[in-house]
Amino acid sequence: MFGKLEHELELHVPAIEAWDLFGGLGIGKLVEQELPQMFQKVELIEGDGGLGTVLKLTFSPGLPGPACYKEKFTKIDNEKRIKEAEVIEGGYLELGFTLYRVLFEVTEKGEDSSIIKSTIEYELKEEDAANTSLVSIQPLAIIAELAKNYLIKNKAAKEAK
């Protein structure tokens, strides 16, 4: 069983600025600091934010879904501004998922605007089909909104200097 969920949000900053946040470790650091209700900890296990980087995400207690998992950056395309991360240990893999992938794609909309598209792709064993209810795009929508506010605040601070 295969599924896909998507969310798009306009960011009122150039695509290059948005990619600086989403393309490496920046977004992980931001969510750990600013979303303690969702993320207890985002740990760098291996790498420097480039291809092959492994993070361990530990979620705050009481949230639906897994308590933690490790994900690996499996694709980073700086030209197309696409980053993919797949769960490689724990979490959804223990719930019958054979694939759980998150993609971030930043596209230019105009000189001072871009779109962040967040996608979840998953494959699940038929006998565990009930666990599809654990997959939600809502956390990625919250992260996109946080990123938007952060980027706008940074842009305003730079312009004020």
Side-chain angles (χ1 to χ4, degrees), residues 6 12 26 34 43-44 62 82 88 96-97 116 152:
E6 296 179 332
H12 302 287
E34 301 294 328
E43 297 173 78
L44 177 62
I82 298 171
I88 58 166
F97 289 80
I116 179 67
I152 289 171

Side-chain angles (χ1 to χ4, degrees), residues 43-64:
E43 297 173 78
L44 177 62
I45 302 298
E46 184 181 309
D48 60 2
L51 196 61
T53 294
V54 176
L55 300 178
K56 181 179 180 187
L57 285 69
T58 304
F59 298 92
S60 297
L63 295 175

Side-chain angles (χ1 to χ4, degrees), residues 56-107:
K56 181 179 180 187
L57 285 69
T58 304
F59 298 92
S60 297
L63 295 175
C68 69
Y69 60 75
K70 287 184 183 173
E71 69 177 22
K72 183 176 191 174
F73 296 176
T74 54
K75 177 180 181 178
I76 297 176
D77 186 329
N78 290 312
E79 200 174 295
K80 294 181 181 174
R81 298 186 195 99
I82 298 171
K83 179 171 80 174
E84 293 182 2
E86 289 184 20
V87 174
I88 58 166
E89 184 182 306
Y92 291 98
L93 299 181
E94 295 172 352
L95 300 169
F97 289 80
T98 55
L99 171 73
Y100 190 90
R101 179 186 298 137
V102 174
L103 295 88
F104 290 116
E105 182 176 1
V106 176
T107 54

Side-chain angles (χ1 to χ4, degrees), residues 11-19 106 108 110-114 155:
L11 306 173
H12 302 287
V13 297
I16 190 71
E17 288 181 34
W19 183 245
V106 176
E108 207 158 314
E111 191 177 308
D112 283 326
S113 192
S114 55
K155 182 180 177 182

